[in-house]
Every structure is written in C-alpha cells, then in structure tokens.
Amino acid sequence: MLSNTINAPALACLAALATPAFAQRAAYFTFGSSALVTESFDPLLSPGTTSTHVHSVIGGSAFSSSMDFGSTQSSRCTSVDIIADKSNYWMPNLYFHKDGKFTRVPEVSPKHKVYYKFGKGDGSPDLERSEFPQGFRMMAGNSNLRSDDGSMGTPGNQLNWQCHGSGGQRATGFPSGFTSCNSQYIGGLAATMRFPSCWNGQDFNKDAPMAHMSYPTNRDGIAGCPAPFNKARFAEIMIEYWLDTKPFDGQYGANEVPWVLSNGDPTGYGFHMDFLNGWQPGVLAKAMKTCNAGNTGLGLDEPQCFGAGSIQSGTQKDACTIAPSVNEDIGATNPLNALPGCNPIQPGPGLATKPANCAVAGKVADPTSVAAPVASTTAASDPVTTTAPSDPVTTTPSDPVTTAPSDPAPSGTSDPSESGQSPASVKSKSGVWKAAGCFRDALNPRSLGQQPEWWGAQITSSNCVEHCDSIGAKYAGTENGGQCFCGNQLNRSASVPGKCTAKCNGDASEICGGPALLSVYSLDGTVALSKRTHQRHSRHFKGVL
C-alpha cells in the first residue's frame, strides 16, 4: 500500500514553520459538531434508498435519504455550533480490522471540526466569494480510489490522515509507523479533507459527482477559478474528522495498517465527504464580509461574525441527534464478521469496483422523492421559517451570479391601484416612493437582486425602501416578512395582486411580501417587468441599518 508517509522530523520542521508566533486575524472561522446519526444514507448518490456504506452525519436534524433545501430548513435543531447552519455533512466510518473482525472506531472530541475559509492571500476577506445557492450539493474525494494517483495532492492538500500521537505520522492514505495515537493533548487519528470551491453553475450529477466543481489556483477572487468553473467562488470548506483509536492500542504493530473504511477501503485513499447546503439565506454571505476570526479566539457570537444568540451550547449541540432509520448493526459495540452492507475489502491499487451478486439493500424512503435541484422552489426564502410558496414558480438550475436559462416571463407594468400594500407610500431622500404591487420572486435567480440586501427581525417595507434608495436602486422589495431586496430590474416575475399578506417582522402594521412573493416599491409606483435573464447583480451588505 502506498501511504506517502512524512517522517516525524520533517513534520516537526513543517509545524514550526506553520505555527504562528502570535494570534493572527484571518478570513476564516471554525466550529465544532457532535454526531447527528450514523447510518447508511446518502441523499446525493443514493436518493430514496439506503446507501452502499455507513456514514457519520452531522448538521441539521432533517437528514434523510431524500432531501432538498426546504428539508434542511425544517430541521428542529442542528448538531453544529452555528444555529443558522442546517446543512448536512457526512463521511464514511472507520473500522478496526483484526482476525477477520470489524469494530467501528468511535469519534473523539472535537469529533468533527469544520473550517470555512474565504480569505485572500494577504488574509483579508475575499469580497468576491458567494454564499451557496439554495439546494447546492457537492462532494470531495473519490470513494473508489485505492492508491496515490496524484488526484488528492500532497498530504495536507485535499486529503490528509494524521496520527496525533508523539510521532505525528501524516499521509494522504492511512499512515503507519506507530502503535498508538495518544498524546497529552487531544490525540487520535484524524482525516482532513478540503472541498472544491469553484463552480460552473450546474447542478450536482450523481453520475459525475465532481463535474460541476473545481479546486482554485493560488489567485484571489473569481480569477482564481479556472474556466468554466468561474461562475462563482464559494467559501472553502475543510473538515477534520477525529477518531478515538485508544481502545485498539497494543493490538497492532508499527508496520501494520489495521484500519478500513466502511466502503471496504483499507488504504485511506477512498475517504470522501459530502455536503448539502442548509445555511439560512444571507447569514453566511454577511459573515464572509467581516468575520475574520482566524486563530484569534474571536467568538462567533460577536457582531462581526454571527451575532448574539447565534451559537448554541455544547449541551444543546450534543442533544441534537436522530434515531437511525436503517435497521442494521454498524459494529458500535460488538465486532462484525463483515462490514455493513455489501463492502468486501478492495485493496487496489486499481479503482474499486461495484461487487457482483450483492443483494440490494431494502428501501426506506420513497425513491421518487429525490433531492431537488439547486435553488428549488419548493422552499420559501424566509431565512427563519420555511413555507412552500402559495403560487408555485417553475425554475431551472442555473448560475445565481451571472446567468440564468431563458424562461420567458410576462412583461408590462403593474397596476398600483391594486397593490393593497401597507404602507402605500414611503418618504425617502430622493422623494416619495409608492407601492407598486405584489410580484412573484422566481428564486433562481432572484427576480430582484441576487440575494437579500438585509434580513432579520427589524425589516419593514419603509426601512427597506430607505436602504434601497440610499444605494441608488430603482426598486425596493420585501419578502416573507423579513427580507429586503434592491435592484434596477424585476426579472422573470408577474404581478399577483392581493397575494402579499406577510406582516413585516419589524412592524406588524406593514406588509412585507410573502413566501416567494415581493412587495415592490418605486418612485412612480410602477414596475416595468423584464424578460431579461442574463444579468450580473451587485450586492451590498451593510449590516444592521
């Protein structure tokens, strides 16, 4: 087995170079997570049925075999620190293999440590980073890989395994040269994986799971994404998966590699991770502008990050668990004679293949209820409470930053006399803005602006108008009680008089649209609907107004 192990002296030298002499402020933040559930589900690759192998899952409690963005927002809790992150992240389990028996290796604190990186080379925030679209999904790694073919880079690049014991052995695949990973500090064996961050604007394809994403070059901003993956650049997600190997000390020699992943991989090269976006809209985009916490110890509940009340306690996080839906023995307490599912050990060095004559696992969900594409319209845009739109709008997956597919929309001018909005007018610096009416929001891309300019408990149609006027926008629109949009065109929309009925979060006497519905204002009280769908929108995140 090729392990590409770095020896301890070399690692110590690298660590000395990498360790800062003092706390450094940089554009990234980290948070921890408890385990949500361990079971054979993978809504990306096996929607509606059991997956081929067992995964450790963290994040929102709505995790299931079939999911879309709306599903994530219905989560009653999340197992990560940040309450607004209802995303799910999952990865294969690790097993200790000896004498033909398999015992699941438990996680050790911090269990799963998640990094979000969005900085430039000088450590400042990269303002060209975008938040993930609703319904966005991606993978990192290759479950079938069994040797170092160069695709994972050098250790520490895309995939890295490290024994956090006295030797510190590190490799792209499973390292060797140790009999224990204990230390006076955390200790344990950990896998670290980086997700790609450059997007080509297409949806996830389970038959080509990496086709829509690419890793960046060393250039800042969108220029660091190679074409055609330069439609958007997201925050880079990196996750450390910590495993407690102490129960197995003394049961293997320094030249042995007794570990095997739940997918039948005894090399470690087939480790992989999956991500399904469940961030409440606007939260991550705002944090990426100002939350340059780095390793300073800056609290994520500080105003420049996620604000007061945004982080849950360890007790709350640990309490967010769900019962497995698949009835199977995963080897948590007693050794197994075989890995769960149909996963014979395949050592390579060639790519692993699907085993022949394997019984198909029983279905546990409706196979027709597959994950929705990017920016599914089954989910409303309310960042706190998700409701299905009362007037469904059909959309097609597309790039939310620059392009959208051709989808003719009605054009014309709304009738301000039918607006039924409150207030009917708002006095602002450029004059008196008038209610133009209630309009559908196409969601993918947004009809008015790419993302909310501002959202939260204090939103009213009045202060949204004032904000949009202050940045020179032609139109202002509020949606679902708590979002403010600004823009100069209203695309792929239609007037729906009387449908906007949501009370504004900041003032219940005012109306702020509805689920996928905009209460729109303009200086003359009219809106010219546009058929244009190829447009670049500018975004302004001003924080609390």
Side-chain angles (χ1 to χ4, degrees):
M1 183 193 73
L2 298 176
S3 64
N4 198 23
T5 302
I6 298 178
N7 60 39
L11 180 65
C13 181
L14 289 173
L17 292 174
T19 303
F22 52 87
Q24 294 179 331
R25 188 174 297 276
Y28 72 88
F29 58 81
T30 68
F31 56 89
S33 176
S34 299
L36 176 74
V37 68
T38 301
E39 68 178 344
S40 297
F41 272 173
D42 186 339
L44 269 66
L45 296 180
S46 303
T49 185
T50 52
S51 62
T52 57
H53 53 273
V54 177
H55 294 101
S56 178
V57 186
I58 63 175
S61 61
F63 182 78
S64 180
S65 64
S66 295
M67 297 183 67
D68 59 13
F69 180 78
S71 304
T72 67
Q73 300 306 282
S74 68
S75 295
R76 60 176 172 78
C77 64
T78 178
S79 70
V80 304
D81 289 336
I82 303 171
I83 297 171
D85 185 12
K86 303 295 176 60
S87 306
N88 285 113
Y89 314 76
W90 61 97
M91 59 222 67
N93 277 190
L94 184 70
Y95 286 82
F96 176 74
H97 183 213
K98 185 176 178 66
D99 298 330
K101 302 289 186 179
F102 299 86
T103 304
R104 182 178 179 269
V105 181
E107 286 115 7
V108 63
S109 182
K111 299 179 181 177
H112 309 80
K113 188 174 182 181
V114 184
Y115 295 73
Y116 271 71
K117 301 182 178 183
F118 43 90
K120 297 192 293 186
D122 62 4
S124 64
D126 186 344
L127 300 182
E128 294 186 15
R129 301 293 180 105
S130 302
E131 68 175 5
F132 301 106
Q134 295 181 18
F136 178 80
R137 301 164 288 172
M138 67 174 169
M139 284 185 62
N142 181 352
S143 180
N144 295 324
L145 198 62
R146 294 296 185 270
S147 61
D148 190 359
D149 66 352
S151 62
M152 294 294 102
T154 57
N157 188 351
Q158 295 177 28
L159 172 61
N160 172 71
W161 287 91
Q162 184 170 353
C163 172
H164 289 267
S166 58
Q169 290 84 354
R170 184 184 185 200
T172 303
F174 290 138
S176 60
F178 56 89
T179 58
S180 172
C181 288
N182 291 330
S183 78
Q184 59 179 317
Y185 302 107
I186 296 176
L189 180 66
T192 302
M193 176 146 269
R194 293 172 56 232
F195 282 85
S197 56
C198 296
W199 187 43
N200 67 3
Q202 301 300 310
D203 195 11
F204 178 85
N205 179 356
K206 70 184 184 68
D207 296 321
M210 296 295 291
H212 67 319
M213 298 297 295
S214 174
Y215 286 89
T217 65
N218 60 358
R219 299 178 63 188
D220 294 334
I222 197 68
C225 289
F229 302 95
N230 54 355
K231 296 297 189 295
R233 185 172 181 179
F234 306 126
E236 176 191 294
I237 301 174
M238 185 179 82
I239 301 179
E240 296 174 354
Y241 180 38
W242 287 76
L243 296 149
D244 184 8
T245 57
K246 186 176 181 180
F248 311 103
D249 286 357
Q251 299 186 49
Y252 59 95
N255 295 322
E256 294 181 83
V257 181
W259 321 112
V260 59
L261 292 170
S262 57
N263 58 356
D265 172 25
T267 71
Y269 292 110
F271 187 75
H272 54 282
M273 291 186 178
D274 301 68
F275 169 72
L276 191 152
N277 176 43
W279 280 92
Q280 292 176 5
V283 175
L284 181 58
K286 181 178 182 294
M288 287 193 296
K289 307 297 181 189
T290 56
C291 187
N292 56 339
N295 63 354
T296 63
L298 177 71
L300 294 183
D301 57 354
E302 295 293 333
Q304 57 267 54
C305 290
F306 296 95
S310 62
I311 308 301
Q312 58 184 344
S313 68
T315 301
Q316 291 172 312
K317 181 176 63 176
D318 292 344
C320 187
T321 61
I322 60 175
S325 298
V326 181
N327 184 16
E328 62 180 341
D329 186 355
I330 62 171
T333 55
N334 297 306
L336 303 173
N337 293 322
L339 291 170
C342 185
N343 293 286
I345 293 179
Q346 298 189 59
L351 293 176
T353 59
K354 183 177 180 180
N357 302 318
C358 272
V360 178
K363 294 182 178 180
V364 295
D366 180 3
T368 63
S369 178
V370 298
V374 171
S376 165
T377 55
T378 59
S381 55
D382 178 9
V384 179
T385 303
T386 302
T387 310
S390 56
D391 291 285
V393 182
T394 301
T395 63
T396 305
S398 62
D399 173 18
V401 178
T402 57
T403 63
S406 176
D407 183 12
S411 61
T413 305
S414 66
D415 182 354
S417 67
E418 296 182 353
S419 68
Q421 290 180 224
S422 175
S425 63
V426 177
K427 186 176 181 180
S428 189
K429 69 172 186 177
S430 63
V432 178
W433 287 51
K434 301 179 181 65
C438 182
F439 294 83
R440 288 188 177 126
D441 184 353
L443 296 181
N444 182 34
R446 294 286 190 174
S447 293
L448 184 62
Q450 180 193 340
Q451 295 179 18
E453 290 282 342
W454 176 34
W455 65 274
Q458 67 272 55
I459 288 290
T460 66
S461 285
S462 295
N463 58 29
C464 180
V465 166
E466 292 169 357
H467 172 61
C468 294
D469 192 11
S470 72
I471 63 173
K474 184 177 179 180
Y475 301 126
T478 51
E479 183 166 322
N480 215 16
Q483 292 181 309
C484 173
F485 292 85
C486 306
N488 295 321
Q489 286 185 307
L490 193 62
N491 298 303
R492 297 176 64 187
S493 184
S495 176
V496 283
K499 294 291 187 180
C500 291
T501 58
K503 295 178 180 180
C504 297
N505 292 345
D507 185 347
S509 69
E510 296 190 14
I511 297 298
C512 286
L517 297 171
L518 289 159
S519 293
V520 179
Y521 289 78
S522 66
L523 268 174
D524 62 2
T526 63
V527 172
L529 298 179
S530 172
K531 293 184 179 180
R532 283 193 61 197
T533 60
H534 184 90
Q535 177 183 6
R536 179 176 293 275
H537 298 283
S538 61
R539 288 174 290 168
H540 306 268
F541 290 88
K542 300 295 185 181
V544 178
L545 302 183

